Amino acid sequence: MNLELSEKQTDILNTLLEWKKEPNTQYITLGGYAGTGKTTLMGYLSNILRKKEKKLKIAFCSYTGKAARVLQRKLKDTKSLYTNDYIGTIHRLIYRPILDDDGEIVGWERLSSEDFPYDMIIVDEASMITQRIWDDLLSFGKPILAVGDHGQLPPIEGRFNLMEQPQLRLEEIYRQEANNPIIIVSQIARKYGVIPIQEFSSSVKKLDKREIDTGEFVQDLFERYDSDSMVLVGYNNSRVKLNKGIRQLLGFESPEPSLGDRVICLKNNHQEEIFNGMTGTLLDISDDGKQYYDVEIDLDEEKYSFLGKISKKQFNIDKTLFEVPEGVNLFDFGYALTVHKAQGSQAKRVVVFEERFRHMDDDMWRRWLYTAVTRASEELYIVGD
């Protein structure tokens, strides 16, 4: 690798090497803000460990397929992903499908420790991990490095949060990222919670929501909406309204879900291996007059499509249903998302509508804003005042 580590990165690398050599705990946590070189450090660690243990097999994994794909690209760039390594979602790593006589998937089971082929696990976006999945990862008895961003929002489900107090921290922006306008905006969001209305670059801007030009600009972005786009809000009622508006601009005439619609999963179902925040595109949908649709959904960056039942009632409402018939899953339109639902995901083009809840203290607001802007990889447009 031709990238040089900073003094802080070198110190953390040495700590990780010592931990791997003589682990006094099974796992260690590394928190790092956007642009601090977390993935670069993972790459260095990977390469140095292979010099010491040539047959070492590392499982690199993340909660979502999108995050795993981003990690894969970065590791390949630094030539730190090896032939026998795993790179993909946590779920593909540790769970196996249960098939019926026709070869259809009817459930999932955790791999046994004896069948687990990797010597070490490195988890990216670790703040997304639930207590259940973490316990399953620990069950294999392998050393685990959990990496995440301790500046983001805490998980929305439960109180378990691996990144609440990471043992190791990267907080200095890596010099290669110092002039990245998205990183600059993320620093402003994290430190101050107020992003000024200005053009940080041709593709990174804060727009005044009161200006007529802003509405026209945002409408143009919506008309170009595709799977590389993400629209983020705070309130669920804003999400519902924007979903309706974007669908109309894209030419969907029915308020009901249709072929080609973007959708998002709203509730975990471990049995069918779909998880809160997963997004995808409707490939097939049928309505037999019952309370649900039978659908096929092409889940973003996932190996298998989802085939199953989804609730009709869930679409176009601003609350997640609590009671649904057995075997029926919860999806809604996925053009506009709340920032909480977008955690762990990323898109080339992101539009953020600043919406602060009344009960949010300043720290939580800064985390909300920081999480929102760091979902963007290339283009970022923030609408506020």
Side-chain angles (χ1 to χ4, degrees):
M1 273 178 282
N2 55 10
L3 296 176
E4 292 184 11
L5 297 184
S6 67
E7 184 177 342
K8 180 64 174 177
Q9 288 171 316
T10 302
D11 288 344
I12 288 178
L13 176 62
N14 289 332
T15 301
L16 291 172
L17 290 170
E18 283 298 313
W19 164 77
K20 178 64 172 63
K21 183 180 177 182
E22 296 181 15
N24 53 4
T25 58
Q26 185 184 349
Y27 70 91
I28 191 166
T29 54
L30 168 61
Y33 297 141
T36 56
K38 297 188 295 294
T39 310
T40 299
L41 193 61
M42 280 189 255
Y44 266 90
L45 178 66
S46 171
N47 284 337
I48 292 173
L49 287 174
R50 310 321 164 104
K51 291 177 182 177
K52 299 174 183 291
E53 305 175 58
K54 295 199 181 298
K55 294 185 178 180
L56 182 74
K57 292 190 286 186
I58 299 177
F60 295 94
C61 55
S62 193
Y63 190 79
T64 66
K66 277 189 175 181
R69 184 60 59 90
V70 171
L71 178 61
Q72 180 181 34
R73 187 182 70 247
K74 290 179 178 178
L75 290 171
K76 282 185 173 179
D77 286 346
T78 54
K79 296 181 172 59
S80 49
L81 192 62
Y82 290 69
T83 304
N84 293 322
D85 289 343
Y86 170 87
I87 178 71
T89 64
I90 298 168
H91 315 109
R92 296 289 169 213
L93 173 66
I94 67 176
Y95 303 115
R96 290 292 176 266
I98 303 169
L99 305 177
D100 63 15
D101 293 338
D102 297 323
E104 296 291 329
I105 297 173
V106 293
W108 297 84
E109 60 184 357
R110 193 181 71 210
L111 202 65
S112 68
S113 299
E114 295 76 20
D115 292 333
F116 191 77
Y118 302 99
D119 305 302
M120 179 183 183
I121 301 170
I122 297 180
V123 184
D124 194 26
E125 295 283 0
S127 60
M128 297 290 295
I129 297 175
T130 63
Q131 179 78 66
R132 173 178 171 174
I133 291 174
W134 182 239
D135 289 343
D136 284 349
L137 284 167
L138 291 172
S139 73
F140 297 107
K142 306 296 183 182
I144 303 173
L145 167 59
V147 183
D149 187 334
H150 55 295
Q152 291 187 23
L153 287 166
I156 195 168
E157 293 181 16
R159 296 185 178 182
F160 181 74
N161 183 4
L162 272 172
M163 287 297 113
E164 188 171 11
Q165 292 292 336
Q167 293 154 278
L168 305 172
R169 297 180 182 223
L170 281 171
E171 298 184 341
E172 178 186 350
I173 301 302
Y174 202 30
R175 57 189 168 279
Q176 279 81 3
E177 292 284 3
N179 296 318
N180 181 329
I182 293 174
I183 298 300
I184 291 170
V185 172
S186 77
Q187 289 178 280
I188 295 170
R190 181 169 48 78
K191 291 178 180 178
Y192 307 110
V194 178
I195 299 169
I197 293 170
Q198 72 177 70
E199 187 171 301
F200 295 88
S201 76
S202 60
S203 57
V204 178
K205 305 174 183 180
K206 166 74 177 285
L207 307 165
D208 189 337
K209 67 181 183 182
R210 295 162 295 196
E211 294 290 336
I212 295 175
D213 290 349
T214 296
E216 294 173 352
F217 181 82
V218 169
Q219 181 171 324
D220 180 63
L221 290 174
F222 289 169
E223 288 172 346
R224 295 189 285 121
Y225 187 100
D226 58 20
S227 59
D228 289 326
S229 304
M230 186 182 290
V231 179
L232 300 179
V233 298
Y235 294 111
N236 272 305
N237 58 3
S238 300
R239 175 183 61 81
V240 171
K241 289 175 183 175
L242 281 171
N243 276 328
K244 289 178 180 177
I246 294 170
R247 291 185 75 245
Q248 288 174 355
L249 288 171
L250 294 176
F252 288 98
E253 296 179 358
S254 170
E256 309 301 326
S258 308
L259 290 181
D261 256 321
R262 295 287 294 168
V263 292
I264 182 170
C265 178
L266 300 183
K267 189 176 182 181
N268 292 344
N269 183 335
H270 287 266
Q271 186 73 8
E272 300 199 50
E273 215 203 21
I274 54 173
F275 298 92
N276 195 348
M278 276 186 168
T279 51
T281 303
L282 271 174
L283 296 181
D284 190 27
I285 183 167
S286 62
D287 179 359
D288 60 4
K290 296 183 179 178
Q291 296 179 31
Y292 56 81
Y293 302 107
D294 284 299
V295 298
E296 179 178 0
I297 299 171
D298 179 21
L299 296 168
D300 296 338
E301 308 295 350
E302 300 291 337
K303 187 175 180 181
Y304 299 103
S305 294
F306 166 71
L307 292 164
K309 298 175 173 58
I310 63 174
S311 170
K312 290 181 180 178
K313 190 177 178 181
Q314 183 62 72
F315 283 85
N316 295 313
I317 62 172
D318 61 8
K319 291 182 174 63
T320 302
L321 297 174
F322 283 105
E323 295 184 11
V324 290
E326 187 176 351
V328 176
N329 296 285
L330 298 180
F331 280 78
D332 197 357
F333 294 117
Y335 301 94
L337 314 175
T338 63
V339 173
H340 274 102
K341 293 290 186 189
Q343 280 185 270
S345 194
Q346 197 175 48
K348 289 182 180 178
R349 183 187 308 114
V350 172
V351 182
V352 178
F353 289 87
E354 290 184 337
E355 292 186 328
R356 179 169 178 168
F357 300 106
R358 290 180 193 171
H359 62 268
M360 265 188 180
D361 60 23
D362 289 344
D363 176 67
M364 193 58 68
W365 168 247
R366 287 192 295 267
R367 287 177 180 273
W368 186 94
L369 198 56
Y370 172 78
T371 303
V373 301
T374 52
R375 299 312 89 206
S377 63
E378 295 181 15
E379 298 177 45
L380 172 64
Y381 307 102
I382 306 156
V383 180
D385 51 23

